């Protein structure tokens, strides 16, 4: 029901009829739904989402989950090419008194690696049902969709037009 409900607000009637890929990237999971003729033709859920990106940052930089989440939100980029290679950020590292400095582009590299892995799993799922080239392309929604550059990464992986849908209201289920 959740992909169908999201399709009703994120897609126009024409988009639902012609065919679109609807990706919902939450914290703990990512789902993809193939919408065609105003019906869900295929749905698949992967148990990885934005929390996994945060955990990867935490592990690689040896910082707390709280710090990793803040880094992801404040300087994170889903597409490595969009990150500023000169900008550095100071990070609290577990077991060290002094702050460590990391390049914004290094953090983007961590984020992109996990998101690309998630996208490749989705791509495999939709290719198996022959839905990898829907006329409308892909619409990405969910909390992780707010990462800058996510549409560029998805376009590279899926080779379809990608747009991001962020609702005007939150916490509606």
């Amino acid at each position: 029901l959740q992909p169908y409900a999201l399709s009703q607000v994120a897609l126009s009637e024409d988009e639902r009829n012609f065919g679109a890929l609807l990706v919902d990237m939450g914290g703990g999971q990512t789902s993809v739904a193939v919408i065609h003729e105003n019906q869900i033709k295929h749905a698949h859920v992967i148990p990885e989402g934005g929390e996994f990106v945060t955990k990867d940052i935490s592990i690689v930089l040896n910082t707390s989950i709280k710090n990793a989440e803040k880094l992801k939100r404040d300087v994170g980029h889903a597409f490595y090419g969009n990150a500023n290679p000169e900008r550095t950020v100071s990070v609290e590292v577990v077991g060290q008194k002094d702050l460590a400095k990391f390049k914004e582009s290094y953090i983007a590299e961590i984020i992109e690696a996990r998101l690309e892995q998630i996208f490749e799993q989705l791509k495999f799922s939709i290719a198996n049902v022959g839905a990898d080239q829907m006329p409308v392309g892909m619409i990405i929604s969910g909390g992780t969709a707010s990462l800058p550059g996510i549409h560029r990464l998805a376009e590279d992986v899926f080779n379809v037009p990608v747009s991001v849908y962020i609702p005007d209201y939150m916490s509606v289920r």
Side-chain angles (χ1 to χ4, degrees):
L1 291 175
Q2 193 273 339
Y4 182 76
L6 183 57
S7 75
Q8 297 300 306
V9 295
L11 303 173
S12 70
E13 184 178 349
D14 288 338
E15 289 172 329
R16 289 190 304 270
N17 283 324
F18 279 102
L21 301 169
L22 186 58
V23 175
D24 185 16
M25 301 190 79
Q29 68 183 24
T30 301
S31 65
V32 63
V34 177
I35 310 295
H36 186 249
E37 297 172 344
N38 205 22
Q39 297 177 352
I40 296 175
K41 300 291 185 171
H42 172 74
H44 185 78
V45 176
I46 295 167
E48 295 179 31
E51 290 174 5
F52 285 74
V53 174
T54 303
K55 287 178 187 175
D56 288 351
I57 294 168
S58 173
I59 291 167
V60 173
L61 302 185
N62 198 27
T63 191
S64 70
I65 293 289
K66 182 179 176 183
N67 288 339
E69 182 67 25
K70 184 167 175 26
L71 286 169
K72 181 177 80 172
R73 290 177 188 237
D74 293 350
V75 299
H77 290 276
F79 189 72
Y80 174 81
N82 287 357
N84 184 343
E86 303 301 319
R87 182 177 175 197
T88 60
V89 292
S90 298
V91 178
E92 291 180 29
V93 176
V94 175
Q96 293 184 12
K97 290 182 182 180
D98 296 330
L99 297 176
K101 292 203 181 284
F102 294 99
K103 291 191 176 207
E104 184 180 287
S105 58
Y106 183 60
I107 296 166
E109 195 175 340
I110 298 165
I111 294 169
E112 183 178 298
R114 174 61 75 170
L115 291 177
E116 188 171 6
Q117 178 184 349
I118 292 169
F119 285 158
E120 288 294 340
Q121 292 177 64
L122 296 178
K123 184 177 179 180
F124 180 78
S125 171
I126 61 174
N128 276 344
V129 296
D132 48 346
Q133 295 295 318
M134 298 305 286
V136 173
M138 176 180 287
I139 293 85
I140 302 175
S141 186
T144 306
S146 63
L147 278 169
I150 197 160
H151 70 284
R152 290 270 319 270
L153 179 61
E155 285 174 349
D156 281 0
V157 172
F158 292 95
N159 199 28
V160 298
V162 175
S163 60
V164 175
Y165 174 76
I166 307 286
D168 293 335
Y169 50 89
M170 300 303 283
S171 298
V172 176
R173 300 259 181 236

